[in-house]
Amino acid sequence: MKKYVCKVCGYVYDPMQGDPDNGVVPNTLFENLPNEWLCPVCGVGKDQFELQQ
């Protein structure tokens, strides 16, 4: 599963872990996150994330 990193703060979204504190269950692909989902660290939107190399 592909991980995505926040370009602002460096938070890495790992689909294996999800974001349970914000209602995202494990095994949720980044592409399937709701459009209103925000970085749990700095609060920016999905458009500020890029595929981790």
Side-chain angles (χ1 to χ4, degrees), residues 13-20 22-29 33:
Y13 176 76
D14 181 353
M16 294 292 287
Q17 295 178 2
D19 183 13
N22 292 296
V24 179
V25 297
N27 297 314
T28 300
L29 298 175
L33 290 171

PDB file of all heavy atoms in Angstrom, residues 13-20 22-29 33:
ATOM      1  N   TYR A  13       0.864   9.507   5.948  1.00  0.00           N
ATOM      2  CA  TYR A  13      -0.367   8.726   6.036  1.00  0.00           C
ATOM      3  C   TYR A  13      -0.060   7.310   5.585  1.00  0.00           C
ATOM      4  O   TYR A  13       0.328   7.073   4.435  1.00  0.00           O
ATOM      5  CB  TYR A  13      -1.488   9.309   5.161  1.00  0.00           C
ATOM      6  CG  TYR A  13      -2.716   8.424   5.207  1.00  0.00           C
ATOM      7  CD1 TYR A  13      -3.544   8.430   6.314  1.00  0.00           C
ATOM      8  CD2 TYR A  13      -3.003   7.530   4.179  1.00  0.00           C
ATOM      9  CE1 TYR A  13      -4.638   7.584   6.398  1.00  0.00           C
ATOM     10  CE2 TYR A  13      -4.090   6.684   4.248  1.00  0.00           C
ATOM     11  CZ  TYR A  13      -4.901   6.714   5.362  1.00  0.00           C
ATOM     12  OH  TYR A  13      -5.977   5.865   5.446  1.00  0.00           O
ATOM     13  N   ASP A  14      -0.231   6.368   6.499  1.00  0.00           N
ATOM     14  CA  ASP A  14       0.007   4.948   6.233  1.00  0.00           C
ATOM     15  C   ASP A  14      -1.346   4.248   6.188  1.00  0.00           C
ATOM     16  O   ASP A  14      -2.029   4.154   7.210  1.00  0.00           O
ATOM     17  CB  ASP A  14       0.881   4.360   7.339  1.00  0.00           C
ATOM     18  CG  ASP A  14       1.198   2.888   7.125  1.00  0.00           C
ATOM     19  OD1 ASP A  14       0.645   2.270   6.187  1.00  0.00           O
ATOM     20  OD2 ASP A  14       2.002   2.353   7.905  1.00  0.00           O
ATOM     21  N   PRO A  15      -1.764   3.779   5.010  1.00  0.00           N
ATOM     22  CA  PRO A  15      -3.082   3.147   4.910  1.00  0.00           C
ATOM     23  C   PRO A  15      -3.237   1.917   5.787  1.00  0.00           C
ATOM     24  O   PRO A  15      -4.353   1.586   6.181  1.00  0.00           O
ATOM     25  CB  PRO A  15      -3.211   2.789   3.430  1.00  0.00           C
ATOM     26  CG  PRO A  15      -1.894   3.025   2.816  1.00  0.00           C
ATOM     27  CD  PRO A  15      -1.067   3.832   3.737  1.00  0.00           C
ATOM     28  N   MET A  16      -2.154   1.246   6.110  1.00  0.00           N
ATOM     29  CA  MET A  16      -2.244   0.081   6.994  1.00  0.00           C
ATOM     30  C   MET A  16      -2.730   0.488   8.385  1.00  0.00           C
ATOM     31  O   MET A  16      -3.400  -0.277   9.068  1.00  0.00           O
ATOM     32  CB  MET A  16      -0.890  -0.619   7.098  1.00  0.00           C
ATOM     33  CG  MET A  16      -0.418  -1.247   5.799  1.00  0.00           C
ATOM     34  SD  MET A  16      -1.403  -2.653   5.279  1.00  0.00           S
ATOM     35  CE  MET A  16      -0.855  -3.866   6.454  1.00  0.00           C
ATOM     36  N   GLN A  17      -2.388   1.711   8.808  1.00  0.00           N
ATOM     37  CA  GLN A  17      -2.791   2.204  10.128  1.00  0.00           C
ATOM     38  C   GLN A  17      -4.060   3.032  10.070  1.00  0.00           C
ATOM     39  O   GLN A  17      -4.795   3.117  11.046  1.00  0.00           O
ATOM     40  CB  GLN A  17      -1.669   3.042  10.735  1.00  0.00           C
ATOM     41  CG  GLN A  17      -0.421   2.260  11.021  1.00  0.00           C
ATOM     42  CD  GLN A  17       0.690   3.128  11.585  1.00  0.00           C
ATOM     43  OE1 GLN A  17       0.530   4.315  11.805  1.00  0.00           O
ATOM     44  NE2 GLN A  17       1.836   2.524  11.809  1.00  0.00           N
ATOM     45  N   GLY A  18      -4.306   3.680   8.929  1.00  0.00           N
ATOM     46  CA  GLY A  18      -5.445   4.583   8.831  1.00  0.00           C
ATOM     47  C   GLY A  18      -5.223   5.807   9.707  1.00  0.00           C
ATOM     48  O   GLY A  18      -4.093   6.186  10.000  1.00  0.00           O
ATOM     49  N   ASP A  19      -6.289   6.410  10.140  1.00  0.00           N
ATOM     50  CA  ASP A  19      -6.250   7.559  11.048  1.00  0.00           C
ATOM     51  C   ASP A  19      -7.410   7.408  12.022  1.00  0.00           C
ATOM     52  O   ASP A  19      -8.391   8.144  11.967  1.00  0.00           O
ATOM     53  CB  ASP A  19      -6.361   8.864  10.239  1.00  0.00           C
ATOM     54  CG  ASP A  19      -6.262  10.114  11.100  1.00  0.00           C
ATOM     55  OD1 ASP A  19      -5.866  10.003  12.283  1.00  0.00           O
ATOM     56  OD2 ASP A  19      -6.602  11.193  10.595  1.00  0.00           O
ATOM     57  N   PRO A  20      -7.308   6.405  12.916  1.00  0.00           N
ATOM     58  CA  PRO A  20      -8.437   6.075  13.793  1.00  0.00           C
ATOM     59  C   PRO A  20      -8.898   7.230  14.679  1.00  0.00           C
ATOM     60  O   PRO A  20     -10.080   7.313  15.004  1.00  0.00           O
ATOM     61  CB  PRO A  20      -7.944   4.893  14.627  1.00  0.00           C
ATOM     62  CG  PRO A  20      -6.486   4.777  14.379  1.00  0.00           C
ATOM     63  CD  PRO A  20      -6.162   5.542  13.132  1.00  0.00           C
ATOM     64  N   ASN A  22      -9.387  10.095  13.800  1.00  0.00           N
ATOM     65  CA  ASN A  22     -10.271  10.931  12.984  1.00  0.00           C
ATOM     66  C   ASN A  22     -11.259  10.102  12.161  1.00  0.00           C
ATOM     67  O   ASN A  22     -11.753  10.543  11.129  1.00  0.00           O
ATOM     68  CB  ASN A  22      -9.429  11.835  12.071  1.00  0.00           C
ATOM     69  CG  ASN A  22      -8.673  12.857  12.893  1.00  0.00           C
ATOM     70  OD1 ASN A  22      -9.261  13.701  13.550  1.00  0.00           O
ATOM     71  ND2 ASN A  22      -7.358  12.772  12.879  1.00  0.00           N
ATOM     72  N   GLY A  23     -11.536   8.886  12.628  1.00  0.00           N
ATOM     73  CA  GLY A  23     -12.577   8.065  12.029  1.00  0.00           C
ATOM     74  C   GLY A  23     -12.195   7.307  10.775  1.00  0.00           C
ATOM     75  O   GLY A  23     -13.073   6.807  10.072  1.00  0.00           O
ATOM     76  N   VAL A  24     -10.886   7.208  10.474  1.00  0.00           N
ATOM     77  CA  VAL A  24     -10.449   6.476   9.286  1.00  0.00           C
ATOM     78  C   VAL A  24      -9.907   5.122   9.736  1.00  0.00           C
ATOM     79  O   VAL A  24      -8.904   5.052  10.438  1.00  0.00           O
ATOM     80  CB  VAL A  24      -9.367   7.266   8.506  1.00  0.00           C
ATOM     81  CG1 VAL A  24      -8.906   6.465   7.296  1.00  0.00           C
ATOM     82  CG2 VAL A  24      -9.891   8.629   8.087  1.00  0.00           C
ATOM     83  N   VAL A  25     -10.581   4.070   9.306  1.00  0.00           N
ATOM     84  CA  VAL A  25     -10.203   2.725   9.740  1.00  0.00           C
ATOM     85  C   VAL A  25      -8.948   2.249   9.013  1.00  0.00           C
ATOM     86  O   VAL A  25      -8.642   2.720   7.914  1.00  0.00           O
ATOM     87  CB  VAL A  25     -11.362   1.724   9.513  1.00  0.00           C
ATOM     88  CG1 VAL A  25     -12.564   2.097  10.346  1.00  0.00           C
ATOM     89  CG2 VAL A  25     -11.719   1.613   8.051  1.00  0.00           C
ATOM     90  N   PRO A  26      -8.200   1.336   9.637  1.00  0.00           N
ATOM     91  CA  PRO A  26      -7.030   0.760   8.962  1.00  0.00           C
ATOM     92  C   PRO A  26      -7.415   0.165   7.614  1.00  0.00           C
ATOM     93  O   PRO A  26      -8.551  -0.251   7.399  1.00  0.00           O
ATOM     94  CB  PRO A  26      -6.556  -0.314   9.940  1.00  0.00           C
ATOM     95  CG  PRO A  26      -7.013   0.172  11.271  1.00  0.00           C
ATOM     96  CD  PRO A  26      -8.327   0.842  11.012  1.00  0.00           C
ATOM     97  N   ASN A  27      -6.443   0.124   6.716  1.00  0.00           N
ATOM     98  CA  ASN A  27      -6.584  -0.395   5.358  1.00  0.00           C
ATOM     99  C   ASN A  27      -7.417   0.512   4.450  1.00  0.00           C
ATOM    100  O   ASN A  27      -7.951   0.049   3.443  1.00  0.00           O
ATOM    101  CB  ASN A  27      -7.128  -1.824   5.351  1.00  0.00           C
ATOM    102  CG  ASN A  27      -6.183  -2.780   6.037  1.00  0.00           C
ATOM    103  OD1 ASN A  27      -4.980  -2.753   5.797  1.00  0.00           O
ATOM    104  ND2 ASN A  27      -6.710  -3.601   6.924  1.00  0.00           N
ATOM    105  N   THR A  28      -7.511   1.816   4.804  1.00  0.00           N
ATOM    106  CA  THR A  28      -8.185   2.788   3.939  1.00  0.00           C
ATOM    107  C   THR A  28      -7.134   3.442   3.046  1.00  0.00           C
ATOM    108  O   THR A  28      -6.225   4.106   3.544  1.00  0.00           O
ATOM    109  CB  THR A  28      -8.903   3.867   4.769  1.00  0.00           C
ATOM    110  OG1 THR A  28      -9.871   3.252   5.602  1.00  0.00           O
ATOM    111  CG2 THR A  28      -9.583   4.881   3.861  1.00  0.00           C
ATOM    112  N   LEU A  29      -7.257   3.224   1.740  1.00  0.00           N
ATOM    113  CA  LEU A  29      -6.324   3.832   0.805  1.00  0.00           C
ATOM    114  C   LEU A  29      -6.446   5.355   0.841  1.00  0.00           C
ATOM    115  O   LEU A  29      -7.531   5.891   1.074  1.00  0.00           O
ATOM    116  CB  LEU A  29      -6.595   3.344  -0.621  1.00  0.00           C
ATOM    117  CG  LEU A  29      -6.435   1.850  -0.876  1.00  0.00           C
ATOM    118  CD1 LEU A  29      -6.851   1.517  -2.301  1.00  0.00           C
ATOM    119  CD2 LEU A  29      -5.012   1.412  -0.610  1.00  0.00           C
ATOM    120  N   LEU A  33      -9.863   8.300   1.101  1.00  0.00           N
ATOM    121  CA  LEU A  33     -10.144   9.212   2.214  1.00  0.00           C
ATOM    122  C   LEU A  33     -11.186  10.228   1.774  1.00  0.00           C
ATOM    123  O   LEU A  33     -11.190  10.657   0.607  1.00  0.00           O
ATOM    124  CB  LEU A  33      -8.872   9.959   2.637  1.00  0.00           C
ATOM    125  CG  LEU A  33      -7.798   9.148   3.333  1.00  0.00           C
ATOM    126  CD1 LEU A  33      -6.534   9.979   3.490  1.00  0.00           C
ATOM    127  CD2 LEU A  33      -8.282   8.671   4.685  1.00  0.00           C
TER     128      LEU A  33
END
